[in-house]
Amino acid sequence: MEPESNTVPIMPDASTAFARYPSLAGKAVLITGGATGIGASMVEHFADQGARVGFLDIDAGAGTALAARLGGAARFLPCDVTDVDGLKAAIHAFEAESGHIDVLVNNAANDDRHRVDEVDTAYWDNRMAINLRPQFFAAQAVRPGMARAGGGSIINLGSVVVQMAAAEMVAYVAAKAAVYGLTRALAREFGPDRIRVNCLVPGWVMTERQIRLWLDEAGEQRIAERQCLPDKLVPEDIARMALFLAADDSRHCTSQSFIVDGGWV
């Protein structure tokens, strides 16, 4: 990441001790959009907990590099999540290796900015195909195996842009708003099989992409004005909440949204 322009630490002190979740050891965890950013941090964190991790991404170079860096602790499956048949095939491939999938993290998304008057039907459909449709079809694909195994956890990624009513990203905001409804509907449908479905809602997370494209002086000012806490959010903050929602510690948490935004909304 690029150097910060202020003196507020972006990361916790190195001596900070974070939670270990024994129930995650040996669990099969599948993460979409896992090659970079928040997804890559999730891959690293679940692998560190002793889980059997598989991750999907369209970025073959970044995915291969991450898998190599983790030395076999995570399995990379190249996949374009807008291709539903390809998405299902990748899920079933990892499922075949693992027996079943215990945890699904629907992380893949794209928040490119766009103006209302420039959106046509093709662009709108593409935004839904990236930011909403895969979450449903991935959940649909893992459900039978989770049910046979006696339960599981599905974590859908939302965004605080919904509460913020963010501008210049109307299709993305609409898709993320739909994720809330999808989460609650799936939680009701899947609950009898002891499959929990929750929505993890990040604030403005300082991934390399966000820093490169949008963290300018005005952005620094917005963080200072809007967040209750002075420290910037980093991918690790979101990954640690995902660990909790995947672990047995949260066994009665379902149909809920968990916001991790430093108090922005």
Side-chain angles (χ1 to χ4, degrees):
M1 291 185 177
E2 298 174 4
E4 294 301 307
S5 60
N6 55 36
T7 58
V8 177
I10 193 170
M11 289 288 292
D13 184 88
S15 64
T16 302
F18 293 103
R20 304 293 302 179
Y21 296 97
S23 64
L24 291 179
K27 290 288 181 69
V29 179
L30 183 67
I31 300 165
T32 69
T36 61
I38 294 171
S41 184
M42 289 179 175
V43 169
E44 293 167 345
H45 277 72
F46 277 105
D48 182 63
Q49 294 281 335
R52 294 172 292 153
V53 182
F55 66 103
L56 315 181
D57 206 288
I58 196 172
D59 189 337
T64 301
L66 176 59
R69 181 162 58 81
L70 292 177
R75 167 92 155 85
F76 172 55
L77 297 94
C79 178
D80 177 354
V81 297
T82 67
D83 174 4
V84 173
D85 289 339
L87 172 64
K88 290 181 177 180
I91 290 171
H92 293 320
F94 182 66
E95 190 173 45
E97 295 175 2
S98 305
H100 65 276
I101 294 171
D102 298 289
V103 179
L104 168 67
V105 183
N106 277 316
N107 170 71
N110 184 291
D111 64 348
D112 282 349
R113 306 309 193 249
H114 48 271
R115 297 175 60 84
V116 169
D117 55 4
E118 296 173 349
V119 173
D120 58 16
T121 55
Y123 187 82
W124 179 271
D125 290 347
N126 177 261
R127 295 299 91 182
M128 299 304 120
I130 295 172
N131 296 308
L132 176 61
R133 192 172 71 184
Q135 300 211 19
F136 171 77
F137 285 104
Q140 181 191 64
V142 302
R143 180 189 187 183
M146 284 187 176
R148 288 193 299 271
S153 175
I154 297 174
I155 304 167
N156 297 326
L157 269 287
S159 174
V160 293
V161 297
V162 177
Q163 291 91 335
M164 292 164 54
E168 296 189 343
M169 52 197 318
V170 61
Y172 179 75
V173 174
K176 287 301 185 180
V179 169
Y180 292 98
L182 176 67
T183 296
R184 293 183 64 81
L186 291 179
R188 179 62 63 185
E189 294 272 355
F190 293 6
D193 292 319
R194 294 185 176 84
I195 299 170
R196 301 182 292 109
V197 188
N198 289 291
C199 188
L200 173 50
V201 186
W204 191 7
V205 182
M206 296 295 106
T207 64
E208 291 183 8
R209 180 173 184 268
Q210 294 293 318
I211 292 171
R212 182 179 72 253
L213 295 178
W214 296 300
L215 185 62
D216 53 14
E217 185 176 347
E220 295 273 8
Q221 185 62 31
R222 287 198 303 276
I223 293 171
E225 292 174 351
R226 294 297 303 271
Q227 281 191 188
C228 296
L229 299 174
D231 303 331
K232 291 184 176 69
L233 282 168
V234 291
E236 291 84 349
D237 296 315
I238 311 305
R240 292 186 188 106
M241 178 58 83
L243 294 178
F244 170 72
L245 293 175
D248 291 349
D249 300 63
S250 60
R251 74 185 192 94
H252 268 286
C253 297
T254 195
S255 192
Q256 304 303 313
S257 296
F258 295 85
I259 299 175
V260 182
D261 73 341
W264 189 295
V265 297

